[in-house]
Amino acid sequence: MDFFQVFIELAQSTVRLSTPLILAALAGLFTERAGVFDIGLEGKMLGAAFAAGCVAYISQSVMMGLFAAVLVSVLLSLVHGYASITQRGSQIVSGVAINFVVAGSTVILGEAWFRQGGRTPALTEDGRFGRITLPFADAVREVPILGPLYSGLLSGHSPLTYLAFLMVPASWWILYRTRFGLRLRAVGENPGAVDTAGISVIWLRYRAVICCGILCGIAGAYLSLSANAGFTKGMTAGKGYIALAALIFAKWRPKNILFACLLFGFLDAFAIRYQGYAFPLIGRVPVQFMQALPYILTVILLAGFIGKAIPPKAGGVPYVKER
Amino acid sequence: MSVPHAKLPGWAEYGLIPLVNLAVAFLISGLVVLIVGESPLEAAYHMINGAFGRGEYIGFTLYYTTTFIFTGLAVAVAFHCGLFNIGGEGQAYIGGIGVALACLSFDHTLPWYLVFPIAILGAAFFGALWALIPGWLLARRGSHIVITTIMFNFIAASLMNYLLNKVFKPLGSMSLETRTFDAGGQLPKLDWLMSIFGLSVGTAPFNISFLLALLAAFGVWVLIWRTRLGYEMRTMGHSSAAARYAGIKEAKIIVITMMISGGLAGMMALNPIMGEQFRMQLDFVQGAGFVGIAVALMGRSHPAGIIPAALLFGMLYQGGAEISFEMPSISRDMIVIIQGLVILFAGALEHMFRPAITRLVLGLSPKTRDVAATKGA
């Protein structure tokens, strides 16, 4: 039973740690499937987390915080869109720029407004997302196996966690079962054909970028309103890049994104729990190795040793209408 | 494909446009200073004064400049081949291994002028090695270089954390750094160079690797514009199809370019490790690899542009430290904002002001007006 208890705890922290990854990776899915590469996921999440922390503290309302997070993230996405769609600038350069501007300004503004060393003031319960306890969670806790699974693993998460997991099938449905999704994927593969059909490539890509902004905003809000009680300096700590890695690891497919993010979340949870623990046979696994594992796995995948990750064909190329 | 923009004279292309982009980046930074509730003019004064006000300040400015010349050149070399090496940060970090190994092995026995060349080779070797893998993966397996180099930055950070913890840290020490090097692992300061201008370097770690950086800049110019390899790299950068048609071996050029780029980034490690701290510390690169992107974009990937761009960022880093000292509400993170804005306006939005500037410049120049008139008639 002890082993089972450990399993439940590991699984629960896996779910918690994967939530922002899932949201951010789905955000990347929308833009990259439309042919706009985005390495600015990190910056958008960080900006959203900051906005959420500030607004939730001032208004004492978690929904206002969430709204501010989405707004800031969408605005940053539009900057990326303006640079890479309208001005046809390099998408990579634009993403890098956004990451830096956000990393610097969250600290400067946070310090100027709250004077707590780049943090936003700690949020009270009103300013945070509580945990949802599913019906009967307490009643069935004593039932063997299923009880802990239900009340320990399925119940007791932030509403944003449930939203993140629901977004996976929802994104799949949007991308694969709606007209908008079909066109979005087409514009990432062959924008010329979409243009010939009389559909605006520019407007489609802008809409994809806005979708990305919304999801990144929720991911950021999760960090400062749910996983923590407020914003701390640099709190994304590379999660945007891990999400990017997960997106590639998932070969740009919604279902795979769920598994990739759960895998990377699990690695994180495992590294935290077993820091300095000596395993039989292997001995002590350096925590640094566990931290680097998502990146190493992604590189191995990119090298084509575990299947092949083929990016959207028109990804990274600004669209120029032929005259 | 239609050519979207008319050709501008050189002074406008390489002088005016970068200056306008830079001015916009600074204007927006000034706005941020205003939002914080401080005076942008006062900040600008502290920045200029803090960067150039005294010999010692100039020494610090040039110390940072040295670092940014290396990382800027690294990004620029890859740009010429059409590759975006975003991994300068990791390559510089790993390059530190070469410097540390050279210094730790020979600092008791050899004088600095013998350890220095070994450290240069070591830094370049390890930096190149870290860039070789992404280069090889692109050349042979088609992996996207931007993504692999980002991943390698993180892998480098974990690896160095591990190595400093388990290998380089002296027994019984708590902080994650190597032991302090003896005289053989310490580069001399360039106080003679400063005293020519009647300035004193003071405590500034302005050291001989600055000259190496200038030499590297010249070397890059020779490589890109005066050698066959450079020609092949530029051909690939313009059109990989043309390069293939001309019989240029793509895979080979990609790998070599990435190794040169990584080697240059790795050599950055000489400056902080042998020139300032005399030991290798955790996270000694401090984002210099990313500054290299801004420097290369500002300097239009030409050594003659990279050196002033590196000086500009050296000024920002040293002056920024001074601002945060004088005006506590503006911490050094202000530099990160400016850096991001420079990358945005000089890089991603470089064409934003071009149509207006083209109209202005070509409209003002009488020669082109005549040409336009005769065409019109």
Side-chain angles (χ1 to χ4, degrees):
Chain A
M1 208 51 203
D2 187 40
F3 172 77
F4 187 65
Q5 188 60 35
V6 169
F7 168 77
I8 293 284
E9 279 169 22
L10 260 183
Q12 174 151 36
S13 56
T14 299
V15 167
R16 261 189 297 115
L17 292 165
S18 336
T19 300
L21 300 182
I22 293 172
L23 287 165
L26 288 174
L29 179 71
F30 275 93
T31 56
E32 302 215 346
R33 261 332 220 347
V36 180
F37 278 154
D38 194 351
I39 62 172
L41 296 174
E42 174 89 1
K44 274 182 276 212
M45 263 164 90
L46 191 65
F50 178 69
C54 291
V55 173
Y57 170 72
I58 293 166
S59 67
Q60 290 295 319
S61 148
V62 69
M63 289 320 280
M64 289 297 287
L66 178 63
F67 177 74
V70 169
L71 186 72
V72 164
S73 172
V74 167
L75 285 177
L76 289 170
S77 284
L78 288 176
V79 171
H80 182 59
Y82 178 71
S84 54
I85 302 169
T86 306
Q87 293 290 339
R88 298 179 204 135
S90 160
Q91 300 168 1
I92 308 287
V93 174
S94 163
V96 172
I98 286 172
N99 286 343
F100 280 121
V101 171
V102 174
S105 40
T106 48
V107 179
I108 293 273
L109 295 178
E111 181 60 26
W113 290 339
F114 303 108
R115 307 224 171 267
Q116 295 190 4
R119 289 166 166 270
T120 60
L123 296 169
T124 54
E125 286 307 309
D126 285 343
R128 288 185 69 188
F129 281 104
R131 293 179 172 193
I132 292 183
T133 310
L134 295 182
F136 313 117
D138 288 323
V140 299
R141 192 177 296 276
E142 300 308 318
V143 178
I145 310 288
L146 286 180
L149 269 181
Y150 181 75
S151 55
L153 182 57
L154 289 182
S155 171
H157 292 287
S158 155
L160 295 185
T161 302
Y162 297 105
L163 179 67
F165 280 82
L166 281 179
M167 277 316 292
V168 177
S171 300
W172 173 83
W173 187 78
I174 292 171
L175 284 173
Y176 290 88
R177 285 294 179 272
T178 65
R179 183 186 299 194
F180 168 65
L182 175 68
R183 289 174 173 177
L184 188 148
R185 284 181 294 130
V187 97
E189 296 291 333
N190 189 346
V194 178
D195 203 10
T196 313
I199 303 157
S200 166
V201 173
I202 306 285
W203 172 226
L204 246 174
R205 285 194 168 167
Y206 264 109
R207 277 186 286 171
V209 163
I210 291 170
C211 290
C212 165
I214 295 170
L215 287 167
C216 257
I218 303 174
Y222 175 81
L223 290 178
S224 60
L225 301 183
S226 214
N228 300 281
F231 174 83
T232 50
K233 179 180 173 176
M235 76 185 309
T236 43
K239 287 196 178 60
Y241 294 109
I242 297 240
L244 193 67
L247 175 63
I248 297 159
F249 201 73
K251 302 174 189 174
W252 291 271
R253 292 207 172 83
K255 184 186 73 190
N256 298 359
I257 283 180
L258 177 66
F259 294 121
C261 291
L262 282 173
L263 172 66
F264 290 173
F266 172 74
L267 290 175
D268 202 2
F270 191 82
I272 293 169
R273 189 178 173 94
Y274 290 104
Q275 193 164 355
Y277 180 86
F279 291 96
L281 297 179
I282 324 166
R284 195 163 290 166
V285 179
V287 62
Q288 293 92 351
F289 178 72
M290 298 296 293
Q291 282 163 352
L293 203 52
Y295 306 112
I296 296 173
L297 285 176
T298 305
V299 169
I300 295 175
L301 176 90
L302 273 171
F305 295 120
I306 331 170
K308 193 146 180 64
I310 301 164
K313 215 173 185 174
V317 189
Y319 182 65
V320 184
K321 214 178 168 98
E322 281 297 327
R323 295 184 183 89
Chain B
M1 292 267 263
S2 50
V3 180
H5 306 294
K7 197 165 165 52
L8 283 171
W11 62 268
E13 178 75 40
Y14 298 107
L16 191 61
I17 288 190
L19 275 183
V20 169
N21 290 334
L22 190 67
V24 177
F26 272 101
L27 272 179
I28 297 183
S29 315
L31 280 181
V32 177
V33 176
L34 267 183
I35 294 176
V36 171
E38 298 275 0
S39 149
L41 286 178
E42 200 189 329
Y45 166 76
H46 286 307
M47 167 157 292
I48 306 273
N49 185 45
F52 299 113
R54 258 198 257 162
E56 190 173 352
Y57 297 164
I58 298 177
F60 270 106
T61 301
L62 290 175
Y63 163 76
Y64 290 119
T65 306
T66 309
T67 291
F68 301 146
I69 292 176
F70 282 123
T71 52
L73 288 174
V75 177
V77 166
F79 269 156
H80 279 291
C81 190
L83 304 170
F84 195 160
N85 176 14
I86 209 165
E89 186 79 6
Q91 289 142 19
Y93 208 178
I94 296 291
I97 297 179
V99 183
L101 284 180
C103 292
L104 290 172
S105 318
F106 300 113
D107 65 337
H108 294 307
T109 42
L110 297 180
W112 71 266
Y113 50 84
L114 290 180
V115 179
F116 192 39
I118 303 172
I120 295 174
L121 288 179
F125 173 78
F126 277 94
L129 188 71
W130 206 244
L132 164 71
I133 310 169
W136 184 84
L137 288 173
L138 172 66
R140 284 273 168 253
R141 321 281 312 191
S143 324
H144 200 299
I145 196 92
V146 172
I147 308 291
T148 42
T149 47
I150 292 178
M151 301 296 137
F152 267 71
N153 281 341
F154 285 102
I155 299 172
S158 292
L159 179 67
M160 290 300 284
N161 194 328
Y162 177 76
L163 288 179
L164 279 166
N165 233 319
K166 302 282 168 178
V167 183
F168 285 113
K169 191 175 72 173
L171 276 177
S173 163
M174 288 305 285
S175 47
L176 289 179
E177 55 191 31
T178 62
R179 68 172 168 82
T180 305
F181 308 142
D182 250 20
Q186 306 192 356
L187 291 180
K189 288 187 186 177
L190 285 177
D191 29 15
W192 55 269
L193 186 67
M194 297 284 282
S195 59
I196 295 176
F197 301 98
L199 296 164
S200 148
V201 74
T203 58
F206 176 46
N207 62 73
I208 198 155
S209 54
F210 177 68
L211 300 182
L212 181 71
L214 295 184
L215 206 66
F218 179 72
V220 165
W221 176 77
V222 171
L223 168 74
I224 300 288
W225 282 281
R226 288 292 179 274
T227 65
R228 180 183 168 147
L229 176 63
Y231 176 75
E232 291 179 334
M233 281 160 58
R234 283 183 294 136
T235 310
M236 274 208 46
H238 280 292
S239 157
S240 55
R244 208 174 308 139
Y245 187 69
I248 294 171
K249 291 197 183 69
E250 268 182 294
K252 190 181 110 191
I253 301 294
I254 289 174
V255 171
I256 292 177
T257 307
M258 280 307 286
M259 286 180 70
I260 296 172
S261 175
L264 285 164
M267 274 149 74
M268 167 265 158
L270 295 162
N271 193 33
I273 294 181
M274 272 187 95
E276 192 204 3
Q277 295 291 332
F278 310 131
R279 57 180 174 242
M280 181 162 71
Q281 293 175 304
L282 189 70
D283 200 23
F284 67 86
V285 186
Q286 299 212 315
F290 295 117
V291 181
I293 299 169
V295 169
L297 288 170
M298 270 299 302
R300 303 236 143 198
S301 300
H302 192 292
I306 285 171
I307 293 174
L311 183 65
L312 175 85
F313 274 91
M315 179 195 96
L316 284 176
Y317 267 67
Q318 167 54 19
E322 202 56 30
I323 293 183
S324 59
F325 189 68
E326 299 283 342
M327 305 161 85
S329 56
I330 305 175
S331 62
R332 288 189 73 171
D333 296 278
M334 193 71 215
I335 310 166
V336 181
I337 303 184
I338 300 178
Q339 183 185 329
L341 289 169
V342 167
I343 294 176
L344 187 66
F345 286 101
L349 290 173
E350 62 172 337
H351 300 310
M352 189 158 74
F353 302 107
R354 188 180 288 265
I357 290 174
T358 310
R359 231 175 296 129
L360 207 69
V361 169
L362 296 187
L364 286 178
S365 128
K367 195 169 137 203
T368 42
R369 197 186 294 150
D370 290 348
V371 173
T374 39
K375 263 188 192 162

